[in-house]
Amino acid sequence: MEQRGVFGSRLAIVLATAGSAVGLGNVWRFPFMTGQNGGAVFILIYFACVLLLGIPGMVSEFVIGRHAQSNAARAYGSMGHRSWRFIGYLGILTSTIILGFYAVVAGWCLQYLFASVAGQLTGDAAYVIRYFQTFSADPIKPCLWGVAFVLITHLVVSKGVNDGIERASKLLMPLLLILLVVLVVASCMLPGAYRGVEFLLKPDFSKVSGNVFLEALGQAFFSLSLGTACLCTYASYFKRDTDLLRSATQIALLDSGIAILAGLMIFPAAFSVGVQPDSGPSLIFITLPNVFQEAFGAVPVVGYFISILFYALLVFAALTSTISMHEIGTAFFHEELHLSRRRAAWVITGACVLLAVICSLSVGAYDGLRLFDMPLMDFCDFLTAQFMLPAGAFLTSIMLGWFVSRRLVQEEFLMGQTHDTSRMVKRAFFHIWLFSVRFVVPICILLIFLHQFGVI
Ligand code: TRP
C-alpha cells in the first residue's frame, strides 16, 4: 500500500483547510445573505453561530479524521461502531451533490473572468442584465464552463495531497488575500462608500426574526464546510501533533474575516452608486458589473482591471473549495475500492459532470427540469444546505458525544496541545467542547429541523 499524504506544515494545514472553507460561500453567498437579512444584525448572529456551533463542529470532524487517518467512511466506522460508517457515506454523497451545482456557479465565474478580459462587460444596466440572461439561457456555454471547472478540479485532486491540494492552496490562498485587500481599498475609497460600511457594521435590531437565525446557521455550516466529512477527510492528512482546537479557531476566524472583507468589497461600491444591497444571488453577475463601470466610470481602464481581479478572485476561491469536495469521494474510492488515485478521481468527476450539466440546464435552457417545483439546481442547494449538512453535523455530534469512549475522544482532543496553557485550562476547554458537542449542537440543529417542518 502506498503511503498516505500528510500536509507538510502547520501553515499548509491552515491554508488548505481555510481554502476549503473560503469559497463562493464567502464572496457570493455571504454578501447577498447579509444584504437580504438586515446587514450588521445578520453578521452578529452569524458570528454567534460560528462560535457556538461552528468551532465545536469543526473540532469534532477533526477529532474523527485525525484519529483514523483514513477516508471519511472508514474514519467514522473506526471511531464509533462499524455501522456509523453511514455518516461517512452520507458525507460523500452530500459533497458530490454540492460539487455538482457549485461547479455551475463557479463556471459562470470563469465565463465572467474571460468576458472581463475581453472587455465584454461594458454597457448600460439593461445590457448587463441581457448579457446574463442570454448567457444563462444558452444550452451549451454554461454547461461547458461548469464541466471545465470540474475538470480543473479533477486535475488538481488527481495529483494527490501534497503535489495537488497543498500546492494549489499555498499558491491560491495568498493570491486571494492580496486581490481581496486591493478590491476592498478600491471600494472603500469611492465617494459615499461610508454608507456601505455603516450598513455592515451598524446593527438594526428591528430586522431580527426566526428566519434570520436559520439563514445565519445554514450560512455558517456551508461556509465552514461543515457536515459532509470534508473537514474529517482533510484532518486525516494532519500531523499527529496538530493542535485541533487552535487550528479550528484560526480557520473559523480566517473564514469569517474573509467574509467580512468580501462585504467591505461589495457594499461600499454598491452603495456608492446607489444600488440596493438586497438584490440576491444575481448580485455578483448583474449588479456588480454595473457597479464597476459606474464607480470607476471616470477612468474606465481602472474599472476594466477591477472587474478582472474580482472574477479571478471568485475563481480562485471556488477552486480551493471544489478541490476539497472532490477529495472526500476520491479518497474513499481510492482507499476502499483500491482504485488508483486517478481512477478514483474519475468516478467522482464523472458523477459531478453529469450533475453539473443537468443543474446548469435546469436554470437555463430546459426549465422543465424541476423537482418539488424548484429548478433542479435550486433543489440540490436546498436539499444539501437545509437538510443534509445539518443532518451530517447532528449525527456527528451524537456519535462523538454519546457513543464513543470519552477517554478516546479526550486523548485525541488533547493530543498536540503543546502551547503553554496549563493542563487545567486544556481540560476546561475539553469540557466546554464536550458539553457543546453533547447538548448545544444537537439541540440547536433539532430546533431548526422542527422549525423547518413547521412544528415550532
Ligand atoms: N465552504 C465552501 C464555501 O464557503 C464550500 C464548501 C467546500 C463546502 N466544501 C464543502 C460546503 C463541504 C459544504 C460542505 O464556499
Side-chain angles (χ1 to χ4, degrees), residues 155-166:
L155 269 181
V156 177
V157 172
S158 53
K159 280 195 175 304
V161 174
N162 298 100
D163 292 342
I165 300 175
E166 185 174 328

Side-chain angles (χ1 to χ4, degrees), residues 18-27 29 94-95 98 102 219-231 255 317-318 320-326 328 389:
S20 163
V22 174
L24 296 176
N26 304 60
V27 195
R29 209 168 183 271
T94 312
S95 52
I98 296 182
Y102 198 93
Q219 174 62 24
F221 277 18
F222 189 85
S223 189
L224 295 174
S225 309
L226 259 180
T228 68
C230 180
L231 299 172
D255 185 65
T320 49
S321 296
T322 52
I323 290 171
S324 73
M325 299 172 204
H326 199 295
I328 309 172
L389 295 185

Side-chain angles (χ1 to χ4, degrees), residues 194-211:
Y194 72 92
R195 268 174 294 145
V197 179
E198 199 175 74
F199 175 76
L200 274 180
L201 301 183
K202 210 161 124 195
D204 168 5
F205 288 99
S206 66
K207 298 268 172 49
V208 181
S209 70
N211 218 33

Side-chain angles (χ1 to χ4, degrees), residues 63-83:
V63 164
I64 296 170
R66 211 256 312 262
H67 175 77
Q69 313 236 316
S70 66
N71 64 82
R74 187 182 294 211
Y76 275 86
S78 74
M79 189 105 198
H81 184 267
R82 221 187 117 75
S83 54

Side-chain angles (χ1 to χ4, degrees), residues 232-254:
C232 165
T233 305
Y234 268 27
S236 74
Y237 307 126
F238 287 7
K239 293 185 171 162
R240 290 226 65 92
D241 63 357
T242 306
D243 183 335
L244 299 182
L245 179 64
R246 186 206 265 185
S247 307
T249 312
Q250 284 170 342
I251 292 158
L253 290 181
L254 200 62

Side-chain angles (χ1 to χ4, degrees), residues 100-181:
F101 72 80
Y102 198 93
V104 176
V105 185
W108 294 350
C109 298
L110 213 48
Q111 151 78 24
Y112 269 63
L113 174 60
F114 282 92
S116 312
V117 173
Q120 290 170 358
L121 295 179
T122 47
D124 58 6
Y127 167 82
V128 177
I129 296 176
R130 223 177 328 115
Y131 185 90
F132 183 71
Q133 285 169 344
T134 317
F135 165 67
S136 58
D138 190 297
I140 312 267
K141 250 184 165 180
C143 290
L144 286 182
W145 285 116
V147 170
F149 209 93
V150 178
L151 292 179
I152 297 173
T153 308
H154 173 96
L155 269 181
V156 177
V157 172
S158 53
K159 280 195 175 304
V161 174
N162 298 100
D163 292 342
I165 300 175
E166 185 174 328
R167 256 168 89 188
S169 314
K170 279 184 169 164
L171 175 74
L172 294 178
M173 289 304 286
L175 271 178
L176 186 143
L177 270 176
I178 296 171
L179 291 186
L180 193 57
V181 171

